[in-house]
Amino acid sequence: MLAQNQIVLAADRLSKRFGGNTVVDQVSIAFAKGRLHSILGPNGAGKTTLFNLLTRDLIPDSGAIRLGATDITDLTPDRVARMGVARSYQISSVYLDMSARENVWVAAYRARGGNPFVFWRQVTRFAETREWAFSCLQRLGLVEIADVPVRELSYGDQRLLELAVTLACEPRIILLDEPTAGLSSKEAERVKRVILALKGEFSIIMIEHNVGIVMDLSDEITVMNRGAVVAHGSPFEIRENRDVQEAYFGS
Amino acid sequence: MRSSDHNGTVLAKSIEEPVEISSVGTTARPGPLTANLIRSIGIIGAVSILPLVMPINIATEILIFGIFAMAANLLIGTAGLYSFGQAAFFGTGGYAAGYLLAHGWTSLPLALVVACGSGGLIAAAVGILSIRRLGIYFMMLTFAFNQLVYYIVYSWRSVTGGEDGLAGIRRPVLELPFVGSFSFDDNRSFYALASVLFLATMIVLVRMVNSPFGLVLAASRQNSRRTVSLGYPVPMLQLVAFVIAGAISGVAGALFAMLYRIMPIDSVHWTGSAYVVFMVVIGGQRNMLGPVIGAAVFIWLQGLFSLVWTRWPLLLGVFVIVIMASLPNGLVGFVSKLSSWTVKGRGQRQC
């Protein structure tokens, strides 16, 4: 068991049903500070639903969620986000009609405590936000495409921008939902290098189907199947686990 | 695992489809100072020339509907909220101010504040009940509330004049300390009043669209769930935008009541809501000039077609369809596309 002060985010017997289907079933899981914790599992295992519960995009039917020492079970998703839980989505969710710079600006502004009810002062006048947003683009090597409308960017660049947006949130914890989904192997390699560079600095929870990437990057792995946790351990332990091999690797 | 998606987002998406370019962006973002200066001079010049090239009341009407359409564009172009109930707020402002001006009150600031306040108040009530509905449901709800307001106006004869409209409205007077009082009985001075309010509205809305409020509103149009996950209270932002648009529509309604000294019941009918959406679509949503151009073209065509044929709405309808089918970004979008072919290279943004 982890010591209490090392846990950054934890779920306690979390459940979610859709109709008669229990998609997440009594899941208890703890994420340690500064570690990269992956969640593996076949399609329909409840991974994304678990993410949606952790960020409170979905309301759990039962169970509790704690962020550090705070119970966040009853908070709204925007409150949870403001407490430092940042996520990227499975399907790219960048703003297509804006530039990369504006995308990151929107995230950076709120993370720095910006009030959205400012009507007169122009976006261009917030020097500090601008610099922080720009540094996030720099960190992911997106400076050259900063002013191109996002609609015109490659999918790989859009995924990286999504990571830049997540970084701009100044998160305590980052939830990555399939960061390499839909990417070519070359682009996936680029994203992998970026995640590797962020590792250690941030607490990261990652859903990923690319087993190679999961094994290379993770400190810890939890395997889910049919809404429940079936295994938990280091990459090595998971690779050796019989149940996991049956459930996930299919051999 | 996409079961968690809101069922309505799909609808909202399909409605947004034709909008390709953000209303936040290219045009209104303060670029080089000179470009802004040229733009401002152009707009002020156009407003001054307008009454020389057409009957002055038509010019005034263009400005009034320009104000109304800009307010609608804050919802449609920026926030992505397709309200089909804007005439309710236009009408509320017009009737409220008109009632005062028909019953012995003469103060211009009072009339404007009452129009603004009543338009905003009704918008707040409608908004609270409909803003969380997405896409088509939001449209239908705003439409239904528009009908509700219409029937209240229709049946409350003692106050609104029912189907005869509210008659006997007198134009207000502006009393300024040390300067004296201005009357707007003359159509030229009334046009001047409308221009001042028009330009003020434009400045306020252009700044608003490029403020943090406007950018986040545009962000929530493009992906509302993402915007929530970045920590923004999206429904509250949308509600505030809805109230602001309602308040401005109220002012436009009040000016309309003063212009013809009568508030006709048609002005609060849902067709008015549809017309203002057409104005925005014809002109283009990408900046605040689009809806104004849309309003001008719409009113001009309305006049033209009604001279040609008694069934003029049919011609107007055909025109709107042709524009929507061939120019997804409206007239202004088309013109700037033309100019981007001739002038290569985009302006850099600086945020």
Side-chain angles (χ1 to χ4, degrees):
Chain A
M1 278 314 276
L2 288 160
Q4 193 62 44
N5 62 358
Q6 288 189 308
I7 296 173
V8 61
L9 183 68
D12 185 24
R13 279 166 296 164
L14 213 53
S15 291
K16 181 71 187 174
R17 282 176 296 278
F18 292 123
N21 250 346
T22 305
V23 183
V24 170
D25 191 7
Q26 299 273 322
V27 168
S28 294
I29 192 168
F31 302 100
K33 199 173 284 177
R35 310 263 281 174
L36 197 156
H37 190 144
S38 291
I39 299 174
L40 269 178
N43 284 326
K47 307 181 299 286
T48 297
T49 306
L50 177 65
F51 261 28
N52 286 337
L53 293 172
L54 291 175
T55 57
R56 284 292 290 95
D57 278 2
L58 286 174
I59 302 169
D61 293 325
S62 62
I65 309 161
R66 277 191 326 278
L67 179 66
T70 321
D71 189 313
I72 60 165
T73 320
D74 297 321
L75 297 185
T76 54
D78 61 309
R79 286 294 312 278
V80 173
R82 293 193 67 199
M83 293 176 72
V85 179
R87 74 177 292 181
S88 77
Y89 289 85
Q90 198 171 17
I91 293 175
S92 239
S93 58
V94 286
Y95 304 121
L96 294 175
D97 294 338
M98 293 181 182
S99 66
R101 208 189 277 273
E102 285 169 317
N103 266 270
V104 182
W105 194 94
V106 173
Y109 182 68
R110 192 56 165 167
R112 308 226 127 185
N115 177 6
F117 297 100
V118 169
F119 303 96
W120 189 254
R121 198 167 162 205
Q122 303 290 278
V123 163
T124 47
R125 297 276 180 252
F126 294 82
E128 202 194 321
T129 307
R130 177 177 62 214
E131 277 154 29
W132 166 244
F134 190 70
S135 73
C136 294
L137 288 177
Q138 258 173 338
R139 180 137 192 212
L140 296 199
L142 296 173
V143 170
E144 270 163 39
I145 50 120
D147 295 303
V148 180
V150 170
R151 193 177 289 284
E152 293 167 19
L153 297 182
S154 72
Y155 193 64
D157 281 340
Q158 288 187 17
R159 295 301 299 188
L160 283 173
L161 175 58
E162 176 123 17
L163 287 176
V165 168
T166 311
L167 271 191
C169 296
E170 304 194 45
R172 284 161 71 178
I173 182 160
I174 299 177
L175 280 68
L176 302 175
D177 194 352
E178 296 197 33
T180 69
L183 295 184
S184 70
S185 57
K186 199 179 142 206
E187 287 172 327
E189 191 56 39
R190 215 172 133 204
V191 170
K192 182 182 160 185
R193 277 202 306 274
V194 166
I195 296 173
L196 196 61
L198 301 179
K199 199 183 139 173
E201 187 180 342
F202 297 95
S203 311
I204 301 175
I205 312 174
M206 179 170 81
I207 296 174
E208 179 57 58
H209 277 299
N210 185 324
V211 180
I213 288 183
V214 170
M215 291 298 165
D216 287 354
L217 290 180
S218 306
D219 299 311
E220 281 175 60
I221 300 174
T222 296
V223 182
M224 286 180 74
N225 195 19
R226 299 203 187 128
V229 171
V230 293
H232 174 241
S234 69
F236 179 77
E237 286 164 338
I238 293 300
R239 202 192 297 272
E240 299 300 307
N241 187 313
R242 246 166 208 289
D243 296 343
V244 174
Q245 285 172 5
E246 272 167 34
Y248 193 65
F249 300 102
S251 59
Chain B
M1 273 303 120
R2 302 307 300 169
S3 44
S4 53
D5 273 353
H6 295 296
N7 49 4
T9 42
V10 179
L11 284 163
K13 268 267 161 53
S14 65
I15 290 163
E16 283 164 19
E17 214 64 71
V19 189
E20 274 183 37
I21 301 159
S22 152
S23 66
V24 170
T26 29
T27 320
R29 196 162 301 286
L33 207 63
T34 44
N36 265 352
L37 200 64
I38 292 169
R39 214 170 282 142
S40 311
I41 291 170
I43 289 166
I44 293 170
V47 169
S48 332
I49 291 168
L50 206 59
L52 305 176
V53 297
M54 62 179 71
I56 192 154
N57 281 355
I58 298 296
T60 315
E61 227 180 286
I62 285 176
L63 294 188
I64 292 170
F65 282 94
I67 294 173
F68 189 26
M70 284 191 288
N73 192 40
L74 179 69
L75 299 180
I76 296 174
T78 306
L81 297 167
Y82 279 74
S83 167
F84 269 81
Q86 292 307 103
F89 317 126
F90 182 90
T92 304
Y95 275 102
Y99 185 84
L100 291 181
L101 297 173
H103 289 80
W105 304 78
T106 55
S107 160
L108 174 69
L110 176 75
L112 292 179
V113 166
V114 165
C116 197
S118 59
L121 207 64
I122 300 293
V126 173
I128 285 167
L129 295 167
S130 43
I131 212 85
R132 281 180 184 273
R133 303 284 157 250
L134 298 166
I136 192 89
Y137 301 103
F138 175 77
M139 282 164 73
M140 295 319 291
L141 266 176
T142 51
F143 173 77
F145 280 117
N146 193 160
Q147 289 292 80
L148 188 70
V149 170
Y150 177 82
Y151 281 107
I152 290 171
V153 170
Y154 186 87
S155 7
W156 200 1
R157 284 194 67 96
S158 58
V159 171
T160 63
E163 61 182 326
D164 302 328
L166 176 61
I169 297 170
R170 302 178 61 167
R171 287 190 188 164
V173 177
L174 177 60
E175 310 252 10
L176 287 177
F178 310 117
V179 185
S181 71
F182 294 90
S183 116
F184 299 99
D185 287 329
D186 175 52
N187 282 337
R188 272 172 302 185
S189 58
F190 189 72
Y191 182 82
L193 170 66
S195 342
V196 168
L197 289 172
F198 170 82
L199 292 171
T201 305
M202 193 172 220
I203 291 167
V204 165
L205 284 176
V206 166
R207 283 203 70 112
M208 198 179 287
V209 164
N210 293 289
S211 69
F213 177 73
L215 193 65
V216 176
L217 211 54
S220 63
R221 176 191 83 230
Q222 294 165 59
N223 192 332
S224 119
R225 204 167 156 218
R226 180 42 149 172
T227 312
V228 171
S229 87
L230 293 178
Y232 291 102
V234 169
M236 187 48 99
L237 282 156
Q238 290 174 327
L239 180 62
V240 169
F242 199 75
V243 171
I244 291 170
I248 295 173
S249 306
V251 171
L255 284 173
F256 188 71
M258 295 170 198
L259 173 62
Y260 294 118
R261 297 183 174 88
I262 181 170
M263 194 61 186
I265 183 115
D266 288 350
S267 62
V268 70
H269 195 252
W270 69 267
T271 45
S273 300
Y275 288 164
V276 78
V277 173
F278 290 159
M279 290 172 190
V280 172
V281 171
I282 292 172
Q285 309 163 25
R286 50 188 286 178
N287 59 42
M288 283 297 165
L289 194 58
V292 174
I293 303 286
V297 169
F298 193 91
I299 286 163
W300 176 70
L301 280 180
Q302 206 177 19
L304 184 73
F305 288 155
S306 63
L307 291 178
V308 179
W309 196 19
T310 47
R311 300 194 193 288
W312 59 270
L314 200 63
L315 293 176
L316 207 55
V318 170
F319 175 76
V320 171
I321 291 168
V322 168
I323 292 283
M324 285 178 79
S326 55
L327 307 174
N329 292 316
L331 292 168
V332 168
F334 178 65
V335 170
S336 45
K337 200 169 176 184
L338 280 183
S339 63
S340 77
W341 284 336
T342 48
V343 186
K344 277 284 171 203
R346 300 171 58 95
Q348 297 283 303
R349 301 182 195 178
Q350 299 139 0
C351 90

